[in-house]
Amino acid sequence: MQPALLEGHPEKLLLFPLGTPELLEKWPGTDQCPFMRYVFGDCVLDTDSQTLTRAGNSVAVEPQVFDLLRLLAGNAGHLVTRDQIVDEVWNGRIVSESAISARIAAARKAVGDDGKAQRVIQTVARRGLRFVADLGERGEATPQTLSVTAAPSDTPPRTRFARAADATTLAYSVTGSGPPLVLVPYFPSDMNTTWSIPTERKLCDVLSANRTVVRFDHRGSGMSDRTVPEFSIEASAEDITAVMNAVGFDRFAVYAESGSCIIALTFAARHPQRVTRLALSGAYAEGRLLRGSPRAPETDAIRTLLTEGFEVHGSAFLVAFSTAYFPEGPAEAVAHCAAKLQLGATQELVLKDRDMINSASVLGLLDRITAPVLLFHGARDGVHPLAQAQKLAAGLPNAELIVYDSTNHVPLPGHPTWDRFVPDLMDFLSSD
């Protein structure tokens, strides 16, 4: 599978169509989520917890190394060709032989093997690799069932508080371990609510497996102050500064989605020395009111859905609003998105945020952002079209754009794009 390049910007765009072989593991978000636990020698490779242990001790491995071990163990005794490795571990990208050799060497080292002994991973000259270690009894499939409405854990992480420059109190939490990353949520945010929603929680779990993840509630929402002296993109960008100063991280990666990408880009332009990497899903260069002919806020049909039935539990208008962003579902994720709108903030602030984002542009900030940027976008996103992400990719000094064959605004667990998105995101962050 070869990447398709955007005409005029061949260095900017990688297109990964759907339809390639499924990954060995299905992420939560569907009713049946089979995971594998491979036991060989003194090693345990667990695809549920995304961990490798040897002699009872945790072994830190990069995401691509873990994916390589999972691929080989899942095909134990059978030849895995170079093309299969590139397709599964690199999602079909063009990759150098030296990069492949480096991941193979790292995989061998992680399981206590080496190129000379080849007790676990055997090289088949000019053809590929074979997993030759004997799998123990626990190497058999161990299917698990996850409810799409029940969280894996009912105990949210401890909530802490930071104080913004204007004295606004900001709620935040810290999970996981590893290099620091701040997750900038879209407005409104509510950390406790998202912790109990599997489709929202999964991203945090994935990131926390390899990073120290800092989440926070935007000013005016969640457990942060609901009444604020200033509600602006600039104030929200500086809230990132306040939260990360409180945690004690000077430099860190940033991940943001949808409207929060405007905030993340503003922060990265104001504080380029603090951002190591910037990953953005569903980002856009200009708000809806700045695209083509200006339109008054009341002509925004999607905004109108927010004004109707906001206080009604299970409002059909809010479900319709969420469906506009995620027409391909899954349905439970759409319902959860609608519910979070009602719980996270008042209708007044939700509408104010929408009007603010609709009128925003970051085109004048892009040349000030020095960190590597990876953009994710749906090819047929009807809310914020691909052309907006292309503008960002063309204007940023060091950016790539990965486009998924989807109408959804951002990847969701339970949708096929999620199986592409997670490895792509973790691969990008692993270079931090």
Side-chain angles (χ1 to χ4, degrees):
M1 178 177 63
Q2 298 296 325
L5 301 177
L6 175 63
E7 184 177 357
H9 298 284
E11 76 286 1
K12 298 288 187 180
L13 176 64
L14 296 171
L15 176 60
F16 295 112
L18 301 179
T20 55
E22 294 181 346
L23 298 178
L24 296 176
E25 168 189 349
K26 287 295 182 185
W27 294 91
T30 56
D31 290 335
Q32 296 297 321
C33 305
F35 297 100
M36 300 298 291
R37 192 163 185 257
Y38 302 102
V39 178
F40 49 96
D42 60 352
C43 297
V44 178
L45 184 73
D46 193 324
T47 66
D48 181 5
S49 60
Q50 295 279 293
T51 57
L52 171 67
T53 58
R54 195 170 86 228
N57 298 314
S58 177
V59 180
V61 293
E62 295 181 358
Q64 287 180 336
V65 174
F66 187 92
D67 289 343
L68 176 59
L69 288 169
R70 178 173 54 183
L71 172 63
L72 295 174
N75 293 275
H78 299 283
L79 174 70
V80 177
T81 67
R82 178 193 180 282
D83 287 345
Q84 286 177 282
I85 293 172
V86 171
D87 194 44
E88 293 286 355
V89 178
W90 280 273
N91 293 312
R93 299 183 189 182
I94 299 173
V95 60
S96 66
E97 290 295 335
S98 61
I100 296 175
S101 298
R103 297 302 186 271
I104 293 172
R108 282 183 168 135
K109 181 179 179 181
V111 297
D113 196 11
D114 57 58
K116 183 177 180 179
Q118 298 192 18
R119 292 183 297 268
V120 179
I121 301 173
Q122 180 187 80
T123 298
V124 182
R126 295 181 298 281
R127 296 182 65 192
L129 302 174
R130 181 182 289 117
F131 190 92
V132 294
D134 291 331
L135 290 176
E137 292 182 0
R138 289 181 294 171
E140 301 300 324
T142 55
Q144 300 180 11
T145 300
L146 283 179
S147 166
V148 297
T149 58
S153 169
D154 57 2
T155 305
R158 182 180 302 173
T159 301
R160 308 174 189 181
F161 295 92
R163 192 168 294 277
D166 61 1
T168 297
T169 299
L170 304 168
Y172 72 91
S173 67
V174 182
T175 55
S177 61
L181 176 145
V182 60
L183 198 163
V184 186
Y186 54 85
F187 190 88
S189 54
D190 190 322
M191 291 186 299
N192 278 349
T193 297
T194 55
W195 191 260
S196 64
I197 299 176
T199 51
E200 297 277 350
R201 165 82 178 275
K202 186 58 188 176
L203 176 62
C204 182
D205 286 343
V206 166
L207 292 172
S208 298
N210 295 284
R211 318 281 305 193
T212 298
V213 177
V214 180
R215 298 184 303 139
F216 68 97
D217 284 338
H218 283 296
R219 56 176 52 219
S221 70
M223 290 181 288
S224 294
D225 278 349
R226 293 293 187 103
T227 302
V228 296
E230 181 183 356
F231 192 76
S232 67
I233 291 171
E234 292 73 21
S236 294
E238 290 308 317
D239 287 345
I240 299 175
T241 302
V243 169
M244 297 310 278
N245 284 348
V247 182
F249 290 132
D250 185 47
R251 285 173 52 79
F252 44 86
V254 180
Y255 175 76
E257 293 180 337
S258 192
S260 69
C261 295
I262 297 281
I263 296 170
L265 286 163
T266 301
F267 172 82
R270 286 180 162 220
H271 305 282
Q273 75 283 359
R274 301 197 68 169
V275 181
T276 58
R277 290 193 164 250
L278 181 58
L280 306 172
S281 291
Y284 45 95
E286 302 165 297
R288 295 169 60 87
L289 299 181
L290 303 181
R291 304 170 195 168
S293 300
R295 294 176 296 176
E298 56 267 22
T299 66
D300 179 0
I302 297 179
R303 184 184 189 277
T304 301
L305 294 173
L306 291 173
T307 67
E308 302 294 335
F310 191 90
E311 304 299 332
V312 179
H313 178 70
S315 168
F317 291 98
L318 293 186
V319 172
F321 169 86
S322 300
T323 302
Y325 282 82
F326 306 108
E328 295 176 351
E332 63 270 17
V334 173
H336 291 150
C337 180
K340 196 175 75 165
L341 280 171
Q342 294 174 304
L343 296 172
T346 64
Q347 182 188 45
E348 178 186 4
L349 268 189
V350 169
L351 291 173
K352 186 174 182 178
D353 175 77
R354 182 165 185 83
D355 294 342
M356 178 178 70
I357 295 297
N358 277 347
S359 304
S361 172
V362 293
L363 288 176
L365 306 177
L366 301 183
D367 60 354
R368 292 157 52 187
I369 297 172
T370 58
V373 181
L374 185 58
L375 300 151
F376 303 94
H377 216 88
R380 301 181 309 284
D381 187 335
V383 177
H384 298 293
L386 177 60
Q388 284 292 313
Q390 290 170 313
K391 281 188 177 183
L392 289 175
L396 287 161
N398 185 11
E400 285 185 301
L401 170 61
I402 296 180
V403 181
Y404 298 114
D405 185 16
S406 174
T407 59
N408 278 359
H409 184 45
V410 300
L412 292 176
H415 187 276
T417 54
W418 183 257
D419 289 341
R420 294 294 185 296
F421 165 70
V422 169
D424 286 338
L425 175 60
M426 300 310 291
D427 182 31
F428 174 70
L429 293 175
S430 69
S431 300
D432 185 3

